[in-house]
Short mmCIF file of all heavy atoms in Angstrom, two decimals:
data_model
loop_
_atom_site.label_atom_id
_atom_site.label_comp_id
_atom_site.label_asym_id
_atom_site.label_seq_id
_atom_site.Cartn_x
_atom_site.Cartn_y
_atom_site.Cartn_z
N SER D 1 51.22 49.08 102.30
CA SER D 1 50.84 50.40 102.79
C SER D 1 50.63 50.30 104.30
O SER D 1 50.55 49.19 104.86
CB SER D 1 49.55 50.89 102.14
OG SER D 1 48.43 50.12 102.55
N GLU D 2 50.52 51.45 104.94
CA GLU D 2 50.28 51.45 106.39
C GLU D 2 48.95 50.81 106.72
O GLU D 2 48.78 50.23 107.79
CB GLU D 2 50.30 52.90 106.92
CG GLU D 2 51.65 53.59 106.79
CD GLU D 2 52.71 52.97 107.67
OE1 GLU D 2 52.36 52.44 108.76
OE2 GLU D 2 53.89 52.99 107.28
N GLU D 3 47.99 50.89 105.80
CA GLU D 3 46.67 50.31 106.05
C GLU D 3 46.72 48.78 106.12
O GLU D 3 45.89 48.15 106.77
CB GLU D 3 45.69 50.73 104.97
CG GLU D 3 45.38 52.22 104.95
CD GLU D 3 44.43 52.58 103.82
OE1 GLU D 3 44.07 51.68 103.04
OE2 GLU D 3 44.05 53.75 103.75
N THR D 4 47.67 48.19 105.40
CA THR D 4 47.79 46.73 105.40
C THR D 4 49.00 46.29 106.22
O THR D 4 49.68 45.32 105.88
CB THR D 4 47.92 46.20 103.96
OG1 THR D 4 49.09 46.78 103.35
CG2 THR D 4 46.70 46.56 103.14
N SER D 5 49.28 47.02 107.29
CA SER D 5 50.43 46.67 108.14
C SER D 5 49.98 46.56 109.60
O SER D 5 48.91 47.00 109.98
CB SER D 5 51.53 47.73 108.01
OG SER D 5 51.15 48.92 108.68
N ALA D 6 50.85 45.94 110.38
CA ALA D 6 50.63 45.82 111.83
C ALA D 6 51.96 46.05 112.52
O ALA D 6 53.03 45.77 111.98
CB ALA D 6 50.08 44.44 112.16
N PHE D 7 51.89 46.58 113.75
CA PHE D 7 53.10 47.00 114.46
C PHE D 7 53.14 46.30 115.83
O PHE D 7 52.11 46.15 116.48
CB PHE D 7 53.10 48.52 114.66
CG PHE D 7 54.27 49.04 115.44
CD1 PHE D 7 55.50 49.21 114.84
CD2 PHE D 7 54.12 49.37 116.78
CE1 PHE D 7 56.59 49.68 115.55
CE2 PHE D 7 55.20 49.84 117.50
CZ PHE D 7 56.43 50.00 116.88
N LEU D 8 54.34 45.90 116.24
CA LEU D 8 54.50 45.26 117.52
C LEU D 8 55.88 45.58 118.10
O LEU D 8 56.90 45.24 117.52
CB LEU D 8 54.36 43.73 117.41
CG LEU D 8 54.55 42.92 118.70
CD1 LEU D 8 53.38 43.18 119.65
CD2 LEU D 8 54.68 41.44 118.39
N PRO D 9 55.95 46.26 119.28
CA PRO D 9 57.24 46.42 119.97
C PRO D 9 57.57 45.16 120.73
O PRO D 9 56.71 44.59 121.43
CB PRO D 9 56.99 47.61 120.90
CG PRO D 9 55.52 47.60 121.14
CD PRO D 9 54.87 46.99 119.94
N ILE D 10 58.79 44.69 120.60
CA ILE D 10 59.23 43.43 121.21
C ILE D 10 60.45 43.70 122.08
O ILE D 10 61.42 44.30 121.63
CB ILE D 10 59.58 42.38 120.15
CG1 ILE D 10 58.33 42.01 119.32
CG2 ILE D 10 60.18 41.13 120.78
CD1 ILE D 10 58.66 41.09 118.16
N GLY D 11 60.41 43.22 123.31
CA GLY D 11 61.59 43.23 124.17
C GLY D 11 62.17 41.83 124.23
O GLY D 11 61.43 40.88 124.49
N MET D 12 63.46 41.68 123.99
CA MET D 12 64.04 40.36 123.84
C MET D 12 65.06 40.06 124.94
O MET D 12 65.54 40.97 125.62
CB MET D 12 64.74 40.26 122.47
CG MET D 12 63.85 40.55 121.28
SD MET D 12 64.79 40.42 119.73
CE MET D 12 65.95 41.78 119.93
N THR D 13 65.39 38.79 125.06
CA THR D 13 66.49 38.33 125.90
C THR D 13 67.31 37.36 125.06
O THR D 13 67.00 37.09 123.90
CB THR D 13 65.99 37.64 127.17
OG1 THR D 13 65.33 36.41 126.80
CG2 THR D 13 65.03 38.51 127.94
N GLU D 14 68.36 36.78 125.67
CA GLU D 14 69.16 35.81 124.93
C GLU D 14 68.44 34.47 124.80
O GLU D 14 68.90 33.58 124.07
CB GLU D 14 70.52 35.63 125.63
CG GLU D 14 71.40 36.86 125.54
CD GLU D 14 72.80 36.63 126.08
OE1 GLU D 14 73.18 35.46 126.25
OE2 GLU D 14 73.50 37.63 126.36
N ARG D 15 67.32 34.32 125.47
CA ARG D 15 66.51 33.12 125.30
C ARG D 15 65.65 33.27 124.05
O ARG D 15 65.06 34.32 123.82
CB ARG D 15 65.64 32.91 126.54
CG ARG D 15 64.75 31.65 126.47
CD ARG D 15 63.84 31.59 127.67
NE ARG D 15 64.60 31.59 128.90
CZ ARG D 15 64.04 31.69 130.11
NH1 ARG D 15 62.74 31.79 130.24
NH2 ARG D 15 64.80 31.70 131.20
N ARG D 16 65.54 32.23 123.29
CA ARG D 16 64.74 32.24 122.08
C ARG D 16 63.25 32.22 122.43
O ARG D 16 62.77 31.30 123.10
CB ARG D 16 65.10 31.01 121.22
CG ARG D 16 64.31 30.84 119.95
CD ARG D 16 64.91 29.71 119.13
NE ARG D 16 64.11 29.37 117.96
CZ ARG D 16 64.51 28.54 117.01
NH1 ARG D 16 65.71 27.99 117.09
NH2 ARG D 16 63.73 28.27 115.98
N ASN D 17 62.53 33.26 121.97
CA ASN D 17 61.10 33.36 122.24
C ASN D 17 60.34 33.63 120.96
O ASN D 17 60.88 34.19 120.00
CB ASN D 17 60.82 34.48 123.26
CG ASN D 17 61.26 34.12 124.67
OD1 ASN D 17 60.97 33.02 125.13
ND2 ASN D 17 61.96 35.02 125.33
N ARG D 18 59.06 33.27 120.99
CA ARG D 18 58.20 33.48 119.84
C ARG D 18 57.17 34.56 120.16
O ARG D 18 56.56 34.56 121.23
CB ARG D 18 57.47 32.18 119.45
CG ARG D 18 56.55 32.30 118.24
CD ARG D 18 55.83 30.99 117.93
NE ARG D 18 56.73 29.95 117.47
CZ ARG D 18 56.33 28.86 116.84
NH1 ARG D 18 55.04 28.67 116.58
NH2 ARG D 18 57.22 27.95 116.47
N TYR D 19 56.99 35.50 119.22
CA TYR D 19 56.04 36.60 119.40
C TYR D 19 55.05 36.59 118.24
O TYR D 19 55.41 36.28 117.10
CB TYR D 19 56.77 37.94 119.45
CG TYR D 19 57.79 38.01 120.57
CD1 TYR D 19 59.10 37.56 120.37
CD2 TYR D 19 57.45 38.49 121.82
CE1 TYR D 19 60.04 37.61 121.39
CE2 TYR D 19 58.37 38.55 122.84
CZ TYR D 19 59.67 38.12 122.63
OH TYR D 19 60.58 38.16 123.63
N SER D 20 53.81 36.93 118.53
CA SER D 20 52.75 36.90 117.52
C SER D 20 52.23 38.29 117.23
O SER D 20 52.13 39.13 118.13
CB SER D 20 51.57 36.03 118.02
OG SER D 20 51.99 34.71 118.25
N ILE D 21 51.91 38.52 115.97
CA ILE D 21 51.35 39.79 115.55
C ILE D 21 50.24 39.49 114.54
O ILE D 21 50.46 38.81 113.53
CB ILE D 21 52.44 40.72 114.94
CG1 ILE D 21 51.82 42.04 114.48
CG2 ILE D 21 53.21 40.05 113.82
CD1 ILE D 21 52.88 43.08 114.10
N ARG D 22 49.06 39.98 114.81
CA ARG D 22 47.91 39.73 113.95
C ARG D 22 47.85 40.77 112.85
O ARG D 22 47.91 41.97 113.11
CB ARG D 22 46.62 39.77 114.78
CG ARG D 22 45.35 39.50 113.98
CD ARG D 22 44.17 39.32 114.90
NE ARG D 22 42.92 39.23 114.15
CZ ARG D 22 41.77 38.89 114.69
NH1 ARG D 22 41.70 38.60 115.99
NH2 ARG D 22 40.66 38.84 113.98
N LEU D 23 47.73 40.32 111.61
CA LEU D 23 47.69 41.21 110.47
C LEU D 23 46.29 41.78 110.29
O LEU D 23 45.31 41.20 110.77
CB LEU D 23 48.13 40.48 109.20
CG LEU D 23 49.52 39.85 109.22
CD1 LEU D 23 49.87 39.30 107.84
CD2 LEU D 23 50.56 40.84 109.66
N PRO D 24 46.18 42.94 109.62
CA PRO D 24 44.84 43.48 109.36
C PRO D 24 43.99 42.47 108.60
O PRO D 24 44.48 41.67 107.81
CB PRO D 24 45.15 44.73 108.50
CG PRO D 24 46.56 45.08 108.84
CD PRO D 24 47.25 43.79 109.11
N TRP D 25 42.69 42.55 108.83
CA TRP D 25 41.78 41.55 108.23
C TRP D 25 41.61 41.81 106.75
O TRP D 25 41.45 42.95 106.30
CB TRP D 25 40.41 41.64 108.93
CG TRP D 25 39.43 40.64 108.39
CD1 TRP D 25 39.32 39.33 108.77
CD2 TRP D 25 38.45 40.87 107.40
NE1 TRP D 25 38.32 38.70 108.05
CE2 TRP D 25 37.75 39.65 107.20
CE3 TRP D 25 38.08 41.98 106.64
CZ2 TRP D 25 36.72 39.51 106.29
CZ3 TRP D 25 37.04 41.85 105.74
CH2 TRP D 25 36.39 40.62 105.56
N PHE D 26 41.67 40.77 105.97
CA PHE D 26 41.40 40.83 104.53
C PHE D 26 41.05 39.42 104.08
O PHE D 26 41.35 38.44 104.74
CB PHE D 26 42.59 41.39 103.74
CG PHE D 26 43.89 40.74 104.09
CD1 PHE D 26 44.28 39.53 103.53
CD2 PHE D 26 44.76 41.34 105.00
CE1 PHE D 26 45.47 38.94 103.86
CE2 PHE D 26 45.96 40.75 105.35
CZ PHE D 26 46.32 39.54 104.77
N THR D 27 40.39 39.34 102.91
CA THR D 27 39.95 38.04 102.39
C THR D 27 40.82 37.56 101.24
O THR D 27 40.86 36.37 100.97
CB THR D 27 38.49 38.11 101.95
OG1 THR D 27 38.36 39.14 100.95
CG2 THR D 27 37.57 38.42 103.12
N ASP D 28 41.50 38.48 100.54
CA ASP D 28 42.33 38.07 99.40
C ASP D 28 43.55 37.29 99.88
O ASP D 28 43.99 37.39 101.04
CB ASP D 28 42.78 39.29 98.61
CG ASP D 28 41.63 39.96 97.88
OD1 ASP D 28 40.62 39.28 97.66
OD2 ASP D 28 41.73 41.16 97.56
N ASP D 29 44.14 36.55 98.95
CA ASP D 29 45.36 35.85 99.25
C ASP D 29 46.53 36.85 99.33
O ASP D 29 46.54 37.87 98.65
CB ASP D 29 45.68 34.82 98.17
CG ASP D 29 44.70 33.65 98.20
OD1 ASP D 29 44.12 33.40 99.29
OD2 ASP D 29 44.47 33.01 97.15
N ILE D 30 47.53 36.52 100.15
CA ILE D 30 48.71 37.35 100.28
C ILE D 30 49.70 36.96 99.19
O ILE D 30 50.04 35.77 99.05
CB ILE D 30 49.37 37.19 101.67
CG1 ILE D 30 48.34 37.48 102.77
CG2 ILE D 30 50.57 38.11 101.82
CD1 ILE D 30 48.86 37.17 104.15
N THR D 31 50.16 37.92 98.43
CA THR D 31 51.14 37.62 97.37
C THR D 31 52.57 37.91 97.81
O THR D 31 53.50 37.21 97.41
CB THR D 31 50.81 38.45 96.11
OG1 THR D 31 50.80 39.84 96.46
CG2 THR D 31 49.44 38.05 95.56
N ARG D 32 52.73 38.95 98.63
CA ARG D 32 54.06 39.27 99.14
C ARG D 32 53.96 39.69 100.59
O ARG D 32 52.95 40.25 101.03
CB ARG D 32 54.74 40.36 98.33
CG ARG D 32 55.16 39.95 96.93
CD ARG D 32 56.25 40.89 96.37
NE ARG D 32 55.81 42.29 96.38
CZ ARG D 32 56.66 43.32 96.20
NH1 ARG D 32 57.96 43.08 96.04
NH2 ARG D 32 56.20 44.56 96.19
N LEU D 33 55.02 39.44 101.33
CA LEU D 33 55.08 39.78 102.75
C LEU D 33 56.34 40.61 102.98
O LEU D 33 57.42 40.26 102.52
CB LEU D 33 55.15 38.50 103.58
CG LEU D 33 55.06 38.63 105.10
CD1 LEU D 33 53.66 39.06 105.49
CD2 LEU D 33 55.42 37.29 105.76
N ARG D 34 56.18 41.72 103.65
CA ARG D 34 57.33 42.58 103.96
C ARG D 34 57.45 42.71 105.48
O ARG D 34 56.47 43.05 106.15
CB ARG D 34 57.16 43.96 103.34
CG ARG D 34 58.21 44.97 103.79
CD ARG D 34 57.98 46.33 103.14
NE ARG D 34 58.47 47.41 103.98
CZ ARG D 34 58.20 48.70 103.77
NH1 ARG D 34 57.46 49.07 102.72
NH2 ARG D 34 58.66 49.62 104.59
N ILE D 35 58.64 42.45 105.98
CA ILE D 35 58.90 42.55 107.42
C ILE D 35 59.99 43.58 107.65
O ILE D 35 61.10 43.44 107.14
CB ILE D 35 59.31 41.19 108.00
CG1 ILE D 35 58.19 40.18 107.79
CG2 ILE D 35 59.67 41.31 109.46
CD1 ILE D 35 58.54 38.78 108.26
N ASP D 36 59.67 44.63 108.40
CA ASP D 36 60.65 45.63 108.85
C ASP D 36 60.98 45.31 110.31
O ASP D 36 60.21 45.61 111.21
CB ASP D 36 60.08 47.04 108.75
CG ASP D 36 59.79 47.46 107.31
OD1 ASP D 36 59.98 46.63 106.41
OD2 ASP D 36 59.35 48.61 107.11
N PRO D 37 62.12 44.65 110.56
CA PRO D 37 62.38 44.17 111.94
C PRO D 37 62.52 45.28 112.96
O PRO D 37 62.13 45.13 114.10
CB PRO D 37 63.70 43.38 111.79
CG PRO D 37 63.86 43.16 110.33
CD PRO D 37 63.19 44.30 109.65
N SER D 38 63.13 46.41 112.56
CA SER D 38 63.43 47.43 113.54
C SER D 38 63.64 48.76 112.83
O SER D 38 63.78 48.81 111.61
CB SER D 38 64.69 47.06 114.34
OG SER D 38 65.02 48.06 115.29
N ASP D 39 63.63 49.83 113.61
CA ASP D 39 63.98 51.14 113.06
C ASP D 39 65.34 51.57 113.56
O ASP D 39 65.64 52.76 113.65
CB ASP D 39 62.92 52.18 113.42
CG ASP D 39 62.59 52.21 114.90
OD1 ASP D 39 63.27 51.51 115.66
OD2 ASP D 39 61.65 52.92 115.29
N HIS D 40 66.19 50.59 113.89
CA HIS D 40 67.56 50.87 114.33
C HIS D 40 68.50 49.83 113.72
O HIS D 40 68.11 48.70 113.48
CB HIS D 40 67.67 50.80 115.86
CG HIS D 40 66.92 51.89 116.54
ND1 HIS D 40 65.61 51.77 116.89
CD2 HIS D 40 67.30 53.12 116.93
CE1 HIS D 40 65.19 52.88 117.47
NE2 HIS D 40 66.21 53.71 117.52
N SER D 41 69.71 50.24 113.49
CA SER D 41 70.73 49.29 113.06
C SER D 41 71.19 48.48 114.27
O SER D 41 71.08 48.91 115.42
CB SER D 41 71.91 50.03 112.43
OG SER D 41 72.49 50.93 113.37
N GLY D 42 71.72 47.27 114.00
CA GLY D 42 72.19 46.44 115.07
C GLY D 42 72.18 44.97 114.70
O GLY D 42 71.96 44.59 113.54
N LEU D 43 72.42 44.13 115.70
CA LEU D 43 72.51 42.68 115.50
C LEU D 43 71.38 41.98 116.21
O LEU D 43 71.00 42.37 117.34
CB LEU D 43 73.85 42.16 116.07
CG LEU D 43 75.13 42.89 115.67
CD1 LEU D 43 76.33 42.26 116.37
CD2 LEU D 43 75.32 42.86 114.16
N VAL D 44 70.81 40.96 115.58
CA VAL D 44 69.71 40.20 116.18
C VAL D 44 69.69 38.79 115.60
O VAL D 44 70.09 38.58 114.44
CB VAL D 44 68.36 40.92 115.93
CG1 VAL D 44 68.04 41.00 114.45
CG2 VAL D 44 67.23 40.25 116.70
N HIS D 45 69.25 37.84 116.41
CA HIS D 45 68.97 36.51 115.89
C HIS D 45 67.51 36.45 115.49
O HIS D 45 66.62 36.63 116.34
CB HIS D 45 69.21 35.45 116.98
CG HIS D 45 70.64 35.20 117.33
ND1 HIS D 45 71.59 34.84 116.38
CD2 HIS D 45 71.31 35.25 118.52
CE1 HIS D 45 72.76 34.67 116.97
NE2 HIS D 45 72.62 34.92 118.27
N VAL D 46 67.24 36.20 114.22
CA VAL D 46 65.88 35.87 113.76
C VAL D 46 65.90 34.40 113.37
O VAL D 46 66.48 34.02 112.35
CB VAL D 46 65.45 36.75 112.57
CG1 VAL D 46 64.06 36.34 112.07
CG2 VAL D 46 65.45 38.23 112.96
#
């Protein structure tokens, strides 16, 4: 849900970089993780 999500805009270059995003606070274990890379079609190196 939106309540258990975090958002981060990332600007990239051809150099490989690492970006961090802190998830909402919770104490339970995470059972599944969903990553929506972008709201546009296209090509990217992950």
Side-chain angles (χ1 to χ4, degrees):
S1 70
E2 295 294 329
E3 295 179 356
T4 60
S5 73
F7 177 79
L8 178 69
I10 296 174
M12 303 179 295
T13 66
E14 293 186 16
R15 180 184 303 172
R16 177 172 173 171
N17 287 314
R18 181 181 293 197
Y19 301 88
S20 299
I21 179 170
R22 181 171 173 170
L23 302 187
W25 181 83
F26 49 82
T27 58
D28 291 338
D29 291 335
I30 305 173
T31 57
R32 290 201 304 166
L33 187 70
R34 171 181 151 191
I35 299 177
D36 296 3
S38 179
D39 52 6
H40 294 87
S41 60
L43 311 178
V44 63
H45 288 304
V46 177

